Amino acid sequence: MVTAYIDESGNLADKNPFFITAVVCLEDEKVPTRIIKRLRRVLGRRKGKIGKEIKFNNSSERVKKYFIKRFLNEDMYCLVLVVDKVKKQIIDSPENYAKILIRILNIGTKIYNWQKIIIDRKFDKLIDQQKLNKEIKSSGVDAKKIEFVDSEINDGVKLADFIAGFYGQFYNSNKPLPKELSSNVSEERLSWSLLTQKTVVPKGSDD
C-alpha cells in the first residue's frame, strides 16, 4: 500500500514568490520513523527529550546533508508542486489551499494510486479545518483516504517538510538544490492563475 505524506513550505500570503508543496510516497510505513531516529542521533538527542520538533528550518547543514544521505538509501518517490504566485496578493485561506491540495490529490489518486494520504494540519482553527475538508470533499476526491495530522507527531510529514524546505530555499532564496534530489523527485510548476483554472488536468489522467 502506497502512503503519501504531504507538507508545505511557506504561506500563500507571504512575500515569497513561490509556494511549495511536497509529497513523499512510501510503501513501507516504517521508513519515516527509521530516518527520523537517525536524524535524532546526529543531533545527539533522544526521543522525548528533544527541545524542538525536527524541521528543515531549524536544522543545521549537517543534519540536512545527513537527511539527503538517508533519503537516497530508502525507496522513496517524491512529488513537488511549485506554485508561482506571479506577484499576486493571495489570501492564505482554506479555500485557496484546497486548490493546491486538490491538484496534488488528483495526481496521486488518479495516476499513482495513493491508498493512504497523510497531510500536515496547516490550519489551527477548527472552522478552517472544516472549510478545507468541505472543499476537498466537494471536489470528488475520496476523503476517506485522507488524514490530517500534526507534523510534530508524524515522521512521514517531517520527511515531506524537508523536501519542501529544500525546494523552498531553492526557489525563494536562490540557494542551490542538492543534485541528489532530482533523481527521486518529480517536479511540476504552475502559475496561480493556471492552477485555479478548472480546465487544468493532471498529466496522464483520462479525465
Side-chain angles (χ1 to χ4, degrees):
M1 180 178 73
V2 177
T3 301
Y5 302 92
I6 302 176
D7 198 8
E8 82 287 343
S9 174
N11 182 304
L12 280 170
D14 65 25
K15 295 181 180 180
N16 287 325
F18 297 94
F19 183 82
I20 313 294
T21 308
V23 189
V24 173
C25 303
L26 293 163
E27 291 189 3
D28 185 353
E29 293 188 51
K30 296 179 182 178
V31 168
T33 299
R34 187 159 64 234
I35 293 177
I36 296 301
K37 278 185 177 179
R38 287 171 178 170
L39 287 179
R40 289 179 184 276
R41 289 174 188 169
V42 172
L43 288 168
R45 299 167 174 168
R46 295 181 181 178
K47 191 172 184 180
K49 295 185 178 181
I50 189 167
K52 294 182 178 179
E53 177 187 358
I54 293 180
K55 291 182 71 69
F56 180 86
N57 286 337
N58 62 31
S59 294
S60 66
E61 290 303 316
R62 180 188 175 200
V63 171
K64 292 173 184 177
K65 288 179 181 178
Y66 190 77
F67 170 84
I68 294 293
K69 178 181 177 181
R70 299 309 318 170
F71 174 81
L72 295 175
N73 287 340
E74 303 291 352
D75 185 20
M76 283 191 276
Y77 172 79
C78 298
L79 170 69
V80 171
L81 178 62
V82 181
V83 176
D84 186 345
K85 300 178 189 177
V86 202
K87 299 181 180 179
K88 292 181 179 294
Q89 290 185 335
I90 304 170
I91 299 172
D92 192 44
S93 66
E95 292 82 2
N96 282 336
Y97 184 48
K99 292 178 174 64
I100 293 171
L101 285 183
I102 290 167
R103 171 71 180 177
I104 292 171
L105 294 172
N106 278 326
I107 292 172
T109 56
K110 294 181 180 180
I111 300 175
Y112 297 110
N113 193 30
W114 296 344
Q115 287 121 345
K116 184 177 180 181
I117 303 161
I118 300 177
I119 307 173
D120 177 45
R121 188 182 292 115
K122 175 177 170 62
F123 298 102
D124 295 325
K125 294 181 179 179
L126 179 59
I127 188 171
D128 288 335
Q129 296 170 17
Q130 292 171 337
K131 287 179 181 178
L132 181 59
N133 287 330
K134 182 179 179 181
E135 291 290 325
I136 290 173
K137 287 180 180 178
S138 65
S139 74
V141 174
D142 186 357
K144 294 179 181 178
K145 295 182 177 182
I146 302 170
E147 179 183 359
F148 287 91
V149 301
D150 187 339
S151 62
E152 189 172 350
I153 61 174
N154 189 281
D155 291 336
V157 173
K158 289 185 178 74
L159 300 186
D161 167 74
F162 268 78
I163 299 300
F166 279 116
Y167 276 81
Q169 70 175 13
F170 171 68
Y171 276 99
N172 293 317
S173 302
N174 295 318
K175 292 185 178 180
L177 183 69
K179 294 180 181 179
E180 300 90 338
L181 286 181
S182 59
S183 60
N184 291 73
V185 177
S186 177
E187 178 186 339
E188 181 178 32
R189 178 172 166 178
L190 293 172
S191 69
W192 177 253
S193 299
L194 185 59
L195 175 72
T196 54
Q197 290 178 10
K198 294 182 179 180
T199 54
V200 176
V201 177
K203 293 178 183 178
S205 172
D206 295 328
D207 289 358

